[in-house]
Amino acid sequence: MFIERIELRYVQIPLKSHFETSFGRAFGRDTIVTTVWADGVEGWGETPVEDGPWYCPETVETAWHVQRDFLIPMLLGQRFETAAEVFGRMALVRGHAMAKCGLEQALWDVEARQRGLSVAALLGGTRPRIESGVSVGIQDTVDELLALIEGYLAQGYRRVKIKIKPGWDVDVVRAVRARWPTIPLMVDANSAYTLADADRLAELDEFDLMMIEQPLAYDDIYEHSLLQPRLRTPICLDESIHTPAHARAALELGSCRIINIKPGRVGGLSQARAIHDLCRARGVPVWCGGLLEVGVGRAHNVAIASLPGYTLPGDVSASDRYFERDVIVQPIALNADGTIDVPAGPGIGVAVDHPFLDRLTVRRETFASA
Ligand code: OSB
Ligand code: MG
């Protein structure tokens, strides 16, 4: 693959309704959609940043800067045998996983299209459908939360994740469990607690949760290893895991029993696959998280979630979970049984809705090889 041209688009898309986590309430999504042309074939990727450094330190502006000034010059005019090499060729840049992800994903799409395969097949995916779960934000009232969950269950979603924070935790989970005693249920704290809250978190043990996601600091691995033995509920790490080395450290220390792998957080699909492989070799379940991706990143999430070690339903939901209209022609849809089909290809298997994407694009820059 000879890289001829790369385009970045700053895209702003409204959300159907607000999404609230322990770090704030979002009403829209700011993201970067990336296109790469190689050997005349185009590929698409997403850099799933946000407008501010809330979930991770990267933002639209930092990712744009790092892509324009450092990563794109490493790729333009270069040749690659396979997309699996791309992450390594960007190694001189430390961190900036999301900026790397958008570019790397686009090359997986190019390579898959060139080979006439789906990205899922190229990655080694084995499932024709993935099990879909839904992440439900913090609401103003428990009644609003229950009504939302009822709607998602009626659509078929196979597991429910609720966001928690101090003051919106044990009583809320108790109310959800009282209504649905057996649904697959989990919580995500997005780092809202400290080790001093261990007894409070242990109160969640009685609700038979699948896991509690990222209870402690976003950059911690060690303290989670002190918390896990005090809980019966498995800990799942999200924010703390950026590399296979972090995953290994967390598993060796006993900091978690499950890992949420998001391609954006770890630098793309090859790194996501490497963490998957490491966990699978140890019998540790993983699932695919999300960052409210538009159709492009969502399709890549569907592809990676088809790997055999993604044994738990993830946060990869249908396009209409977040968007009135997605940037792809055929939105990603939920089957009545709560699964999502893995497109058979070629590439990511979804077509960009160009006129609509153009309307949402607030900035655009193209880079061509000399
Ligand atoms: O922690 O998993 C998270 C959304 C934004 C930032 C962080 C998280 C989330 C979600 C939603 O939980 C995932 C999704 O539906 O895409
Ligand atoms: Mg999370």
Side-chain angles (χ1 to χ4, degrees):
M1 290 182 283
F2 177 80
I3 304 189
E4 294 146 0
R5 192 152 59 96
I6 297 177
E7 183 174 79
L8 304 180
R9 286 166 177 263
Y10 181 167
V11 170
Q12 288 184 321
I13 184 167
L15 293 177
K16 256 168 120 168
S17 54
H18 65 76
F19 186 72
E20 183 172 328
T21 61
S22 63
F23 37 74
R25 190 172 270 202
F27 296 89
R29 188 77 187 86
D30 288 34
T31 187
I32 302 174
V33 173
T34 313
T35 322
V36 176
W37 287 263
D39 313 328
V41 175
E42 86 181 29
W44 293 80
E46 183 170 347
T47 303
V49 277
E50 291 178 276
D51 57 340
W54 321 125
Y55 167 76
C56 87
E58 294 181 81
T59 69
V60 170
E61 298 301 339
T62 71
W64 197 285
H65 159 57
V66 170
Q67 290 177 331
R68 180 191 59 207
D69 296 327
F70 303 106
L71 298 173
I72 290 174
M74 288 175 183
L75 304 180
L76 261 191
Q78 299 297 306
R79 222 172 267 288
F80 294 88
E81 272 314 306
T82 137
E85 288 164 23
V86 175
F87 182 80
R89 294 269 279 274
M90 300 188 289
L92 217 48
V93 170
R94 295 184 180 181
H96 297 284
M98 292 195 180
K100 291 174 179 173
C101 172
L103 294 162
E104 194 249 17
Q105 282 185 340
L107 280 152
W108 280 96
D109 190 24
V110 167
E111 183 182 349
R113 287 175 202 242
Q114 285 186 337
R115 295 183 191 271
L117 292 172
S118 64
V119 171
L122 187 59
L123 284 165
T126 51
R127 287 164 213 283
R129 284 172 293 283
I130 63 163
E131 287 187 281
S132 185
V134 65
S135 174
V136 188
I138 292 167
Q139 305 300 317
D140 292 329
T141 66
V142 172
D143 284 345
E144 283 170 272
L145 178 72
L146 297 178
L148 275 175
I149 294 174
E150 184 164 39
Y152 291 129
L153 292 173
Q155 287 176 52
Y157 283 106
R158 291 217 181 170
R159 122 354 201 147
V160 171
K161 158 168 139 180
I162 56 184
K163 295 289 189 178
I164 59 166
K165 65 177 183 182
W168 181 267
D169 49 25
V170 178
D171 294 339
V172 174
V173 174
R174 180 175 289 114
V176 174
R177 259 297 176 238
R179 179 86 170 268
W180 295 284
T182 59
I183 53 163
L185 182 67
M186 61 172 288
V187 294
D188 185 357
N190 287 111
S191 300
Y193 297 86
T194 69
L195 208 46
D197 300 311
D199 291 338
R200 180 82 181 157
L201 293 167
E203 289 179 43
L204 293 169
D205 277 342
E206 68 173 285
F207 303 114
D208 190 29
L209 301 177
M210 298 167 76
M211 68 196 90
I212 169 166
E213 186 177 343
Q214 196 70 36
L216 307 181
Y218 67 88
D219 55 356
D220 170 76
I221 293 179
Y222 174 64
E223 289 197 346
H224 282 95
S225 79
L226 303 179
L227 178 62
Q228 179 67 90
R230 298 177 62 178
L231 307 178
R232 215 168 46 234
T233 309
I235 291 175
C236 168
L237 288 179
D238 171 357
E239 282 93 324
S240 296
I241 307 297
H242 294 269
T243 63
H246 289 166
R248 179 158 175 261
L251 297 178
E252 290 285 332
L253 282 168
S255 307
C256 65
R257 298 188 197 136
I258 300 169
I259 294 179
N260 164 353
I261 307 177
K262 297 181 184 177
R265 197 191 66 231
V266 303
L269 300 177
S270 59
Q271 288 291 93
R273 184 170 65 179
I275 295 172
H276 158 275
D277 292 351
L278 181 140
C279 290
R280 187 160 185 243
R282 292 165 177 255
V284 172
V286 304
W287 52 277
C288 186
L291 291 165
L292 285 68
E293 285 88 348
V294 295
V296 173
R298 200 164 287 272
H300 280 286
N301 286 344
V302 171
I304 192 84
S306 73
L307 266 61
Y310 284 77
T311 53
L312 297 169
D315 281 345
V316 188
S317 54
S319 295
D320 70 3
R321 155 76 183 87
Y322 290 112
F323 310 114
E324 218 61 75
R325 178 173 170 188
D326 202 343
V327 305
I328 51 180
V329 177
Q330 285 286 340
I332 290 173
L334 191 71
N335 299 319
D337 68 352
T339 62
I340 290 176
D341 295 333
V342 179
I348 53 175
V350 296
V352 169
D353 178 343
H354 285 275
F356 188 56
L357 184 63
D358 285 350
R359 264 161 56 194
L360 301 175
T361 300
V362 298
R363 189 197 306 161
R364 189 170 168 156
E365 200 169 343
T366 304
F367 308 84
S369 72

